Amino acid sequence: MLRYRDFFPLAADPQSHAGLGKGVRLSDALPLGILVTDREGKCLYSNEAYQKLCGWSGDELTGSHWSAVIHPQDHAKAIQHWDAAVLGHEAFLCEFHLKCMDDKTVWVRHNAALLTDNIPGEGYVHTVEDISVYKAHERARKKAEEALFEEKERAQVTLDSIGDAVLSTDMHGRVSYMNLVAETLTGFNRHEAIGRPLGEIFRVVDADTHLPTDDPARRAIQSNSIVALEANALLVARNGSELAIEDSAAPIHNRYGAVIGAVIVFHDARFSRATTARMEHLAQHDVLTGLHNRNAFYERFDQSLALARRHDKQMGLLFIDLDNFKTVNDLLGHDIGDRILVALADKLKSSVRTTDTVCRYGGDEFVVLLGEIAQPDHAYAVADKIRETVAVPMTIGGHDVALQLSIGVSVFPDHGQTADELLKKADTAMYRVKASNRRPDPENLLLAHEYQQQLI
């Protein structure tokens, strides 16, 4: 049986050197630093591993307190633990820096246990382990964890800041994440939603049948591809309210490319549909008057042309110019001028059929497309009706205003087969009318009283 003195012959009998050269110092064969101290903590013995670790020789260590090699910044903490262990007759375990002779520092884990193996004046055996590599790995791990935490926090803030709802699931269809928008739209907060089946949180039904739609997360996982949500999808919120939503679901992959879940991104479709409808309206209509714009006119012309040819009918095209509009703007201002154009647009629409097209072609020029007329006279009759309608004085912004139009007329197929041909014919006819018109007195545009006020 190995005894204490077999490991530490000098410590067992400091006055005796009989064991030197005869016994085997097993402690010197160990890579672990070992030293023996008396009850007061003074060194009786140290092995070669410990001497190499701290940079002190055996003679320098013998008789010194074991704490002499502790770095000053850790000294008080280590001594506090040591005193508590001595008083309580307990083992001592502490981590601290050693300050080596070459001014290097080494992280160590220091353990001391009470010896009672018939040693005079009871002492302690200490084991000292170099944990510098472990501490370096620990620092790297903590740094990585902090970086990961910061990245996660940034991702959380980012996802909570976007306008779309984001909801993710694991492979079993359980909710694993929700952002704030998803909480708002579903009515569930993320803490109560996480871990629950997706169908309990993200309840989606068909807008027409109100039957549940296919689980988009499951479809994305099974197909390993991005899938669109069902058309006409309604999200049934926690309080029972229904909301039209749209968007898509996609699989989530780990670093090895394996599918580990799915993410669903969705938003309130009311806003996108309203925006889309508004953009479509603006693309086809004049902002000021609400009439069809030039682009829309050509589309409507093609449709009317196809119907006229199919039904063997004619079409009429009226090119309209507002006489002396510059004078109106100069006298009354552009705000009143804009209001006059809006009023004129209303009069033009009221003078034609709902199937006809009224277009603001540009500035104070308008085009009216009369679809499927029986004979050319119908187009001229509409032109006369429009002139009479707009000649009636209007009160706009406190001003009594009467308008005069110059209208040119062309008819399909007599005057052309295309929109450009008919527009050119009508435009030429309009200028002939304008030239033949007597230049109106200002009183024809403004009542005499208004005009006189402008002259004063």
Side-chain angles (χ1 to χ4, degrees):
M1 175 182 293
L2 292 175
R3 297 168 299 169
Y4 165 75
R5 58 176 48 90
D6 295 324
F7 285 93
F8 313 110
L10 291 180
D13 185 5
Q15 304 299 322
S16 173
H17 296 272
L20 292 175
K22 298 180 180 180
V24 179
R25 297 186 181 182
L26 297 182
S27 62
D28 284 338
L30 297 177
L32 190 67
I34 297 175
L35 68 153
V36 177
T37 68
D38 59 18
R39 186 64 181 268
E40 312 308 326
K42 292 181 180 180
C43 179
L44 302 176
Y45 168 81
S46 61
N47 72 344
E48 292 181 359
Y50 184 76
Q51 295 166 17
K52 183 178 180 180
L53 183 63
C54 67
W56 291 36
S57 67
D59 291 338
E60 290 172 325
L61 289 169
T62 301
S64 67
H65 196 277
W66 68 267
S67 65
V69 296
I70 298 178
H71 193 281
Q73 70 179 22
D74 295 338
H75 192 274
K77 177 187 71 172
I79 291 299
Q80 182 180 4
H81 284 287
W82 169 260
D83 291 341
V86 170
L87 290 175
H89 300 281
E90 297 176 353
F92 168 79
L93 177 61
C94 189
E95 294 179 358
F96 48 78
H97 289 91
L98 291 186
K99 184 177 181 181
C100 305
M101 292 296 290
D102 54 5
D103 288 333
K104 291 183 179 180
T105 58
V106 180
W107 261 109
V108 297
R109 180 180 293 115
H110 191 120
N111 183 287
L114 188 65
L115 290 174
T116 57
D117 186 21
N118 298 319
I119 303 173
E122 295 183 351
Y124 289 87
V125 59
H126 302 244
T127 59
V128 184
E129 178 186 2
D130 184 349
I131 59 171
S132 298
V133 174
Y134 165 78
K135 285 295 185 180
H137 290 167
E138 184 180 51
R139 286 194 300 271
R141 176 180 58 80
K142 287 183 177 179
K143 187 175 181 180
E145 289 176 350
E146 290 173 358
L148 182 61
F149 179 78
E150 290 177 1
E151 182 178 352
K152 183 178 179 181
E153 286 292 296
R154 285 195 298 269
Q156 178 76 56
V157 171
T158 301
L159 289 174
D160 282 340
S161 300
I162 65 176
D164 285 346
V166 179
L167 186 154
S168 61
T169 72
D170 59 19
M171 287 292 290
H172 304 290
R174 293 187 294 266
V175 176
S176 57
Y177 173 77
M178 291 176 68
N179 71 347
L180 289 178
V181 179
E183 290 184 359
T184 301
L185 296 185
T186 63
F188 292 89
N189 68 61
R190 69 189 68 178
H191 300 294
E192 60 184 344
I194 290 177
R196 294 174 62 175
L198 177 64
E200 295 182 7
I201 307 302
F202 187 66
R203 297 173 53 206
V204 182
V205 299
D206 183 88
D208 298 323
T209 64
H210 274 71
L211 295 176
T213 62
D214 289 338
D215 181 350
R218 179 177 53 80
R219 289 165 50 208
I221 291 173
Q222 290 178 348
S223 65
N224 193 17
S225 63
I226 298 174
V227 298
L229 299 184
E230 299 282 349
N232 296 321
L234 291 178
L235 172 66
V236 182
R238 186 175 193 173
N239 61 5
S241 62
E242 297 178 349
L243 178 69
I245 61 171
E246 60 185 15
D247 228 317
S248 60
I252 300 174
H253 301 91
N254 63 14
R255 70 177 68 179
Y256 307 109
V259 178
I260 58 173
V263 58
I264 303 172
V265 181
F266 58 99
H267 59 260
D268 187 342
R270 293 176 303 175
F271 300 109
S272 60
R273 290 176 182 174
T275 301
T276 300
R278 184 171 182 273
M279 294 300 293
E280 290 176 350
H281 180 84
L282 291 175
Q284 296 283 317
H285 294 79
D286 174 57
V287 176
L288 175 64
T289 63
L291 297 177
H292 288 290
N293 60 20
R294 186 179 300 193
N295 293 331
F297 163 75
Y298 284 100
E299 291 184 13
R300 298 294 290 266
F301 180 88
D302 291 339
Q303 297 169 5
S304 297
L305 180 62
L307 290 174
R309 286 174 172 168
R310 182 183 305 168
H311 300 148
D312 195 23
K313 296 287 187 179
Q314 301 180 70
M315 291 191 305
L317 192 148
L318 280 56
F319 201 100
I320 302 171
D321 182 79
L322 179 57
D323 294 338
N324 284 13
F325 184 61
K326 183 178 184 302
T327 303
V328 174
N329 272 332
D330 291 343
L331 293 176
L332 303 181
H334 290 283
D335 181 60
I336 296 298
D338 287 346
R339 294 171 65 177
I340 288 174
L341 291 176
V342 173
L344 174 57
D346 292 337
K347 286 181 176 290
L348 292 177
K349 287 190 293 184
S350 68
S351 300
V352 299
R353 300 167 297 183
T354 56
T355 55
D356 297 326
T357 299
V358 181
C359 161
R360 185 184 181 193
Y361 200 71
D364 59 347
E365 295 178 335
F366 297 81
V367 172
V368 176
L369 177 63
L370 306 173
E372 295 192 74
I373 59 175
Q375 54 188 2
D377 287 348
H378 289 171
Y380 293 100
V382 173
D384 291 337
K385 179 182 178 181
I386 290 174
R387 271 191 291 262
E388 294 172 359
T389 301
V390 301
V392 177
M394 302 176 289
T395 300
I396 298 177
H399 303 279
D400 292 328
V401 179
L403 304 178
Q404 179 174 306
L405 305 179
S406 294
I407 304 176
V409 179
S410 62
V411 177
F412 166 84
D414 297 348
H415 299 138
Q417 299 287 324
T418 67
D420 289 338
E421 290 174 346
L422 294 172
L423 282 168
K424 185 176 180 180
K425 289 287 186 179
D427 185 44
T428 301
M430 183 271 294
Y431 275 105
R432 285 200 300 266
V433 171
K434 184 180 286 289
S436 65
N437 283 342
R438 177 178 63 86
R439 181 178 298 276
D441 294 330
E443 289 83 352
N444 288 338
L445 288 172
L446 306 170
L447 292 186
H449 179 66
E450 283 289 330
Y451 181 64
Q452 290 171 1
Q453 285 186 338
Q454 295 293 334
L455 294 179
I456 296 176

